[in-house]
């Protein structure tokens, strides 16, 4: 963070709030440009028109930086927005270089803060769609700014630890800004500021789990492991919690425990000695970037806990159908793993092989569902036996989705790589990115085109294993987001799970391809290229040429007729599908119902034989 106030120092809290507000404006404008203004011809990037009528700070920024003026028309409310960006961006990944201004008809330019910009954009959307003001979204934006401000106040960026699993924790807990194309990327509704400080990964926190003992007749679990889930959890529990033969243990996130303890159904179960509250105890676990998934380096499993908190789009509780679905995907993956390992030895899947919860069987469907979802816990495979010697696992989002902090981390990695023959930083970056694209893209496409398995390789679902900065492994995770192409997996093939779980797992082939294309090319590669090639359009073009090269190579080595149609469309410049996070939140739609909008695809403009290395 930087301050240009020459009259005197600004206190750190005010500076953090100022920076959080600025970043909120950037992400809001990112969303609006991609989802509305760019598609409807209301956005222009270029020279400044009306020089005499423009704010002096905009003219100064243009002169100092050599950037371009961004003009946005809001035709329904009659206003105009003006700021400076570093350059035009094929994919809408702008770097903002000046404050933002608004001009209403007949009035002078006015400097905007985040509240004013959010109000303008939401008012334009309300008129456009004939909807009332969305106060909930404004509250989510406000919440996101407050969380970001608190995170910035605590942030102390430094190089990752040389100890691999400690570096992994640091990467998981380093996401200062969050999703660059979400209107409220740090929103956490339902949790107090004090609890945000106590439990947010960005605060560098860790804490003991909160345990409950539940009567064994209420046990709800499944496992594809040699041991049932309750035995695995008991084996990892604090020494003083030896399992009673009449009870089983369930660890919970401590915030969730407090939430559950307010539920009348749980209060009654405790009164009747069907559940015992054992409190918070044992080893301290680290919250990872998802907030609800907890990690301890000595535990062979991550604990993916339920959390009745709306984090960005969704309330993060584990419904029974999601528990079943995770196990079904694990069963399928176990059958495919030998083939995948043969083809892609650098890829590892962090399977979810067991779950546990409680079913009180009270006869009150609402109460029983709330308790089952509230206790739902998934075991996710840790790094034991899949992390190669000498490899450090780092969250992709810490490198590509974290704005200036990710850019600095990426620079550290490239600086750690051995330089061959005095190669330049640009050559090193191209080499690094090519290895990354190859290790990630091939298995994701193969799982989809050869087996109808839809991964979500977005920045929080990909962990990159590096040695001396170079990519050595890719870890895919989070089976909640993994889906199955319905045409490939019939109801008979999935008869071991409930109809609700089957419905949640099924996507059409078209839905599946859009989800993969969005996560892989837009959420992941667009952001990676923007970070690695920051300030260099020529380098960004070279990195897109790397993607083009690997699409050709994948089709040549593993492709079929279906993949040929999809890949050729991308190579010919067909637009990427982009997730409409702003419009989705404006209409308060569930995440599954989110639509896709076209995002410009640079691959078609590179030329068939453009060199990439």
């Amino acid at each position: 963070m930087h301050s240009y106030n020459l009259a005197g120092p600004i206190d750190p809290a005010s500076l953090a709030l100022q920076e959080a507000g600025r970043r909120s404006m950037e992400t809001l404008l990112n969303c609006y440009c991609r989802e509305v203004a760019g598609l409807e011809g209301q956005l222009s990037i270029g020279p400044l028109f009306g020089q005499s009528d423009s704010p002096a700070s905009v003219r100064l920024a243009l002169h100092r930086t050599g950037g371009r003026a961004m003009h946005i028309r809001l035709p329904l409310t009659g206003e105009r927005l003006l700021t400076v960006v570093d350059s035009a961006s094929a994919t809408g990944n702008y770097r903002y270089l000046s404050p933002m201004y608004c001009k209403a008809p007949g009035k002078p330019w006015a400097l905007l803060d985040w509240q004013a910009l959010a109000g303008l954009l939401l008012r334009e959307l309300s008129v456009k769609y004939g909807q009332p003001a969305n106060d909930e979204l404004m509250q989510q934006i406000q919440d996101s700014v407050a969380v970001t401000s608190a995170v910035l106040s605590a942030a102390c960026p430094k190089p990752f630890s040389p100890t691999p699993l400690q570096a992994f924790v640091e990467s998981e807990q380093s996401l200062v800004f969050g999703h660059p194309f979400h209107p409220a990327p740090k929103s956490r509704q339902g949790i107090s500021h004090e609890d945000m400080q106590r439990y947010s990964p960005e605060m560098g926190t860790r804490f003991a789990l909160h345990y409950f003992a539940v009567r064994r007749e209420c046990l709800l679990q499944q496992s594809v492991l040699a041991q049932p889930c309750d035995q695995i959890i008991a084996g990892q529990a604090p020494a003083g919690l030896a399992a009673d033969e009449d009870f089983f243990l369930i660890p919970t996130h401590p915030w969730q425990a407090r939430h559950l303890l307010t539920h009348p159904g749980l209060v009654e179960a405790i009164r009747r000695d069907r559940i015992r509250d054992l409190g918070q105890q044992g080893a301290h676990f680290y919250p990872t970037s998802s907030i609800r998934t907890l990690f301890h380096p000595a535990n062979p499993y991550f604990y993916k806990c339920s959390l009745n908190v709306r984090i960005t789009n969704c309330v993060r509780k584990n419904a029974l159908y999601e528990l079943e679905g995770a196990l079904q995907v694990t069963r399928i993956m176990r059958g495919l793993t030998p083939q995948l390992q043969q083809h892609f030895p650098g890829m590892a899947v962090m399977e979810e092989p067991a779950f546990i919860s409680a079913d009180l069987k009270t006869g009150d469907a609402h109460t029983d569902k709330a308790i089952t979802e509230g206790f739902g816990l998934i075991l996710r495979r840790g790094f034991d036996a899949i992390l190669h010697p000498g490899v450090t696992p780092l969250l992709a989002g810490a490198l590509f989705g974290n704005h200036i902090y990710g850019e600095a981390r990426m620079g550290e990695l490239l600086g750690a790589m051995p330089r061959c023959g005095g190669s330049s930083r640009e050559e090193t970056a191209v080499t690094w990115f090519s290895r990354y694209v190859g290790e990630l893209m091939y298995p994701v496409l193969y799982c989809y085109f050869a087996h109808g398995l839809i991964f979500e390789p977005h920045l929080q679902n990909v962990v990159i294993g590096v040695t001396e900065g170079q990519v050595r492994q890719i870890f895919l995770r989070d089976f909640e987001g993994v889906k199955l192409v319905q045409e490939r997996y019939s109801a008979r093939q999935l008869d071991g799970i409930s109809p609700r779980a089957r419905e949640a797992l099924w996507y059409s082939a078209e839905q599946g391809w859009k989800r993969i294309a969005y996560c892989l090319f837009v959420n992941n590669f667009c952001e990676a290229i923007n970070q690695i090639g920051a300030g260099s359009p020529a380098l960004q073009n070279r990195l897109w040429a790397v993607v083009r090269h690997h699409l050709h190579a994948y089709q040549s080595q593993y492709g079929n007729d279906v993949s040929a149609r999809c890949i050729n469309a991308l190579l010919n410049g067909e637009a990427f599908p982009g997730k409409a996070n702003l419009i989705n939140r404006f209409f308060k739609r569930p995440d599954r119902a989110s639509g896709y909008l076209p995002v410009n695809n640079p691959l078609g403009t590179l030329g068939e034989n453009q060199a990439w290395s």
Side-chain angles (χ1 to χ4, degrees):
M1 295 182 292
H2 303 282
S3 171
Y4 300 101
N5 186 340
L6 302 181
I10 303 177
D11 72 275
S14 297
L15 192 57
L17 183 60
Q18 176 184 309
E19 182 76 354
R22 183 195 61 78
R23 185 56 185 159
S24 175
M25 296 172 75
E26 293 177 352
T27 56
L28 269 170
L29 214 52
N30 282 348
C31 293
Y32 193 82
C33 289
R34 179 177 279 183
E35 299 178 35
V36 182
L39 297 179
E40 299 186 3
Q42 299 159 4
L43 168 68
S44 65
I45 309 289
L48 186 65
F49 56 80
Q51 290 272 353
S52 62
D53 185 37
S54 55
S57 67
V58 168
R59 298 196 299 271
L60 182 61
L62 287 169
H63 176 73
R64 284 182 170 176
T65 66
R68 302 287 190 91
M70 171 188 277
H71 293 90
I72 299 169
R73 290 187 300 110
L74 305 179
L76 300 177
T77 54
E79 287 149 322
R80 287 190 289 145
L81 304 179
L82 177 66
T83 188
V84 177
V85 295
D86 62 347
S87 64
S89 169
T91 56
N93 292 80
Y94 299 109
R95 294 290 178 112
Y96 297 89
L97 305 178
S98 81
M100 298 181 188
Y101 291 86
C102 171
K103 191 175 192 332
K107 295 184 178 180
W109 287 102
L111 180 66
L112 294 174
D113 58 16
W114 70 264
Q115 293 102 324
L117 178 65
L120 285 171
L121 298 182
L122 295 186
R123 187 162 63 249
E124 181 78 9
L125 291 178
S126 291
V127 177
K128 176 180 174 64
Y129 293 112
Q131 296 289 318
N134 189 326
D135 295 333
E136 179 184 87
L137 179 52
M138 181 62 90
Q139 180 59 47
Q140 290 173 332
I141 295 169
Q142 180 177 340
D143 183 52
S144 181
V145 171
V147 171
T148 305
S149 177
V151 169
L152 283 165
S153 294
C156 184
K158 56 185 177 182
F160 290 133
S161 167
T163 304
L165 291 186
Q166 184 58 37
F168 167 72
V169 169
E170 291 166 3
S171 75
E172 289 279 357
Q173 297 194 334
S174 70
L175 299 188
V176 173
F177 290 121
H179 198 312
F181 285 88
H182 193 287
K186 288 293 182 181
S187 175
R188 291 160 197 184
Q189 290 184 298
I191 191 166
S192 70
H193 176 76
E194 293 72 24
D195 283 341
M196 188 282 297
Q197 297 266 3
R198 188 177 295 123
Y199 300 126
S200 288
E202 304 93 336
M203 310 308 288
T205 190
R206 56 180 183 156
F207 43 79
L209 307 178
H210 191 120
Y211 283 86
F212 292 88
V214 185
R215 287 278 177 187
R216 194 156 289 278
E217 63 265 23
C218 302
L219 176 62
L220 178 65
Q221 68 171 341
Q222 287 187 32
S223 172
V224 298
L225 301 166
Q227 277 185 299
C229 193
D230 66 312
Q231 290 184 17
I232 295 170
I233 287 171
Q236 297 296 323
L241 291 184
D244 186 304
E245 62 179 14
D246 296 327
F247 288 82
F248 66 96
L249 297 172
I250 295 187
T252 63
H253 189 293
W255 185 94
Q256 181 73 355
R258 199 167 73 237
H259 168 78
L260 286 168
L261 286 166
T262 66
H263 193 285
L266 185 61
V267 172
E268 177 63 14
I270 291 174
R271 189 188 68 79
R272 296 175 56 195
D273 197 35
R274 301 190 74 199
I275 296 180
R276 294 174 180 173
D277 177 10
L278 305 179
Q280 220 177 321
Q281 54 182 297
H284 284 206
F285 280 64
Y286 296 93
T288 61
S289 59
S290 72
I291 304 175
R292 63 178 175 143
T293 303
L294 309 178
F295 173 72
H296 189 285
N299 193 310
Y301 298 99
F302 291 79
Y303 289 167
K304 184 178 179 181
C305 303
S306 273
L307 205 58
N308 280 66
V309 174
R310 182 178 295 280
I311 300 170
T312 59
N313 293 356
C314 307
V315 177
R316 307 294 168 154
K317 57 187 178 182
N318 290 325
L320 181 56
Y321 70 85
E322 292 171 322
L323 303 177
E324 289 185 79
L327 225 68
Q328 182 61 47
V329 171
T330 295
R331 293 186 190 102
I332 293 169
M333 284 304 306
R334 287 193 159 200
L336 297 179
T337 294
Q339 180 186 138
L340 293 174
Q341 285 294 301
Q342 183 179 3
H343 288 313
F344 315 110
M347 186 272 289
V349 174
M350 305 181 84
E351 65 180 19
E352 296 177 355
F355 72 76
I356 194 169
S357 191
D359 183 358
L360 294 182
K361 302 182 181 73
T362 66
D364 181 329
H366 181 75
T367 292
D368 289 345
K369 179 183 178 184
I371 297 301
T372 296
E373 291 183 343
F375 276 120
L377 173 70
I378 296 173
L379 299 189
R380 176 183 292 162
R381 184 179 187 178
F383 291 106
D384 287 2
I386 61 172
L387 184 67
H388 294 172
V391 170
T392 295
L394 300 173
L395 179 67
L399 304 177
F400 310 141
N402 209 14
H403 197 46
I404 56 175
Y405 296 96
E407 188 179 324
R409 299 289 196 190
M410 197 63 235
E412 292 169 13
L413 278 189
L414 296 177
M417 284 179 59
R419 297 288 176 89
C420 300
S423 59
S424 66
R425 183 194 181 280
E426 181 171 315
E427 296 301 326
T428 301
V430 171
T431 299
W432 190 98
F433 185 65
S434 179
R435 180 66 178 262
Y436 174 65
V437 172
E439 292 287 351
L440 174 61
M441 187 174 76
Y442 288 43
V444 168
L445 296 186
Y446 186 83
C447 283
Y448 173 71
F449 290 120
H451 298 289
L453 209 64
I454 304 158
F455 277 96
E456 288 189 327
H458 60 65
L459 295 181
Q460 280 189 268
N461 282 355
V462 175
V463 175
I464 309 170
V466 300
T467 304
E468 292 185 324
Q470 180 61 282
V471 179
R472 298 299 179 197
Q473 285 186 274
I474 291 291
F475 304 90
L476 296 172
R477 68 183 187 187
D478 194 2
F479 284 4
E480 179 186 355
V482 176
K483 306 298 179 184
L484 307 174
V485 174
Q486 186 170 2
E487 296 90 329
R488 300 287 295 272
Y489 293 89
S490 67
R492 183 180 57 81
Q493 290 171 281
L494 303 177
D495 62 1
I497 60 176
S498 67
R500 178 69 180 89
R502 284 199 299 271
E503 290 294 328
L505 279 176
W506 277 332
Y507 266 25
S508 69
E510 181 184 8
Q511 281 179 305
W513 175 241
K514 284 184 176 179
R515 190 62 178 156
I516 286 175
Y518 163 69
C519 290
L520 188 63
F521 297 102
V522 178
N523 184 286
N524 199 311
F525 291 163
C526 275
E527 299 308 316
I529 288 170
N530 186 52
Q531 292 287 55
I532 297 170
S536 174
L539 176 55
Q540 291 184 21
N541 283 339
R542 290 191 66 186
L543 297 175
W544 279 114
V546 168
V547 176
R548 184 180 178 90
H549 162 81
H550 280 291
L551 283 168
H552 276 294
Y554 173 86
Q555 181 61 27
S556 175
Q557 191 168 357
Y558 300 107
N560 54 31
D561 290 344
V562 177
S563 65
R565 288 194 294 273
C566 294
I567 289 173
N568 285 337
L570 292 181
L571 294 175
N572 289 330
E574 179 180 281
F576 294 135
K579 191 176 176 186
N581 284 313
L582 173 59
I583 292 174
N584 188 44
R585 285 290 84 215
F586 179 79
F587 283 106
K588 305 179 185 179
R589 293 169 181 155
D591 202 44
R592 186 181 175 93
S594 178
Y596 292 95
L597 296 169
V599 173
N600 186 59
N601 169 10
L603 296 172
T605 62
L606 295 172
E608 184 71 25
N609 298 310
Q610 179 166 332
W612 63 273
S613 64

